């Protein structure tokens, strides 16, 4: 199961990178970066999964003495949760920049923004 999630994550990363590099529209580039971000999160969750172990919750089902051998490390899950929040913030910032660029040039084509080129 972890291999399917990891393969899907890598496919999403490749689709996102391809979309970001081939599109000229800023909104499509933002969507492509978001797809790549989702793929990275999926790969991180798949790396943290260990077959045959349970969730990192200590209760009557998992005694404290056996916790190290029977639970999954919660650190990758916490990192992915943090990465999701940061990804949403970065996406919102990119969309705000795209809106301001559209207000100034009335286009979202990346080739129209040549003001800082030499």
């Amino acid at each position: 199961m972890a291999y399917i999630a990891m393969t899907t994550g890598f496919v999403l990363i490749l689709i996102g990178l391809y979309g970001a590099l081939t599109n000229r529209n800023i909104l499509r580039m933002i969507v492509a970066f978001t797809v790549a971000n989702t793929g990275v999160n999926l790969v991180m969750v798949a790396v943290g999964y260990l077959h045959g172990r349970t969730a990192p919750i200590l209760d009557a089902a998992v005694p404290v003495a056996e916790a190290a051998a029977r639970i999954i490390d919660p650190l990758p899950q916490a990192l992915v949760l943090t990465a999701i929040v940061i990804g949403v913030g970065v996406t919102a910032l990119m969309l705000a920049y795209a809106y301001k660029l559209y207000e100034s040039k009335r286009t979202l084509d990346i080739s129209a923004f040549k003001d800082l080129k030499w």
Side-chain angles (χ1 to χ4, degrees), residues 51-91:
H51 183 68
R53 295 195 178 194
T54 62
I57 300 170
L58 297 177
D59 57 0
V62 180
V64 176
E66 299 175 7
R70 293 185 53 194
I71 65 172
I72 296 172
D73 185 20
L75 185 65
Q77 297 171 6
L79 289 174
V80 168
L81 184 62
T82 305
I84 289 170
V85 172
I86 292 171
V88 168
V90 169
T91 302

Side-chain angles (χ1 to χ4, degrees), residues 26-27 30-31 33-34 37 83-100:
I26 293 175
L27 288 180
I30 292 171
V31 170
F33 278 122
T34 306
N37 185 22
I84 289 170
V85 172
I86 292 171
V88 168
V90 169
T91 302
L93 186 65
M94 287 190 294
L95 287 171
Y97 281 146
Y99 179 72
K100 287 297 183 182

